[in-house]
Amino acid sequence: MRMRNVEIGVGAFMLAGILALVVLALNVSGLNLSQQSGGYKVYARFDNIGGLTPRAKVAMSGVQIGEVTAIRIDPRMLMAEVEMQIFDQVDYLTTDSSASILTAGLLGEQYIGIVPGAEDEVLAQGDYIQDTQSALVLEELIGKFLFNEVSE
């Protein structure tokens, strides 16, 4: 009987460990089981999006206010167009807000950082953020540095 209790305890411990690994994997992947519904879509065009992917977070002051839902090429402007779903409760983003593609840490995931402006008019469904800053691509930066060193 004592051996059976030990086996049940080990089994429960293993089950708890597997469940903890599944929760950790979901958190690391960015997959969220409790998706926020609603919100409004805004768009921004960038020259270079680097490694930005759909489901990347959209943050303001480090707090997530939405997520990237789609990335495509605008055939008219020949730029990357990013579609963002902003949460309903964030109804104070002004029309002169700016969007930048940032990197979490030195080589971490990329996300969009929003800096609000000072206008009175706020963004609505389907509006575009005009002031954008593209991703900093490390390879381009190194190439420019090496090209400048060689030319000197």
Side-chain angles (χ1 to χ4, degrees):
M1 190 64 156
R2 183 168 175 82
M3 189 62 143
R4 184 177 196 119
N5 288 340
V6 170
E7 289 175 356
I8 289 173
V10 169
F13 184 73
M14 292 294 293
L15 186 63
I18 290 171
L19 185 64
L21 286 175
V22 167
V23 169
L24 180 65
L26 287 174
N27 285 339
V28 168
S29 71
L31 187 62
N32 196 354
L33 294 178
S34 60
Q35 295 286 333
Q36 279 201 301
S37 61
Y40 57 99
K41 291 187 187 312
V42 295
Y43 302 88
R45 291 186 189 102
F46 296 94
D47 290 325
N48 190 342
I49 61 164
L52 188 71
T53 59
R55 290 194 1 233
K57 73 177 184 174
V58 177
M60 184 171 64
S61 300
V63 178
Q64 184 172 359
I65 61 167
E67 72 176 15
V68 174
T69 54
I71 301 172
R72 59 186 158 269
I73 292 286
D74 182 355
R76 195 170 46 83
M77 301 286 287
L78 300 178
M79 297 173 75
E81 184 178 85
V82 177
E83 179 182 285
M84 296 169 276
Q85 180 84 20
I86 306 297
F87 301 148
D88 271 335
Q89 61 267 26
V90 184
D91 57 357
Y92 42 80
L93 290 179
T94 58
T95 55
D96 63 338
S97 296
S98 64
S100 304
I101 298 178
L102 305 171
T103 304
L106 186 60
L107 297 173
E109 67 176 346
Q110 291 192 318
Y111 65 97
I112 294 183
I114 303 286
V115 177
E119 288 284 327
D120 290 333
E121 202 173 325
V122 294
L123 289 171
Q125 173 76 22
D127 284 348
Y128 279 83
I129 296 176
Q130 300 298 325
D131 185 18
T132 61
Q133 183 179 358
S134 294
L136 178 66
V137 180
L138 197 57
E139 293 83 10
E140 287 180 8
L141 191 63
I142 292 171
K144 287 179 183 177
F145 175 74
L146 290 176
F147 184 70
N148 286 340
E149 287 294 316
V150 170
S151 67
E152 289 178 359

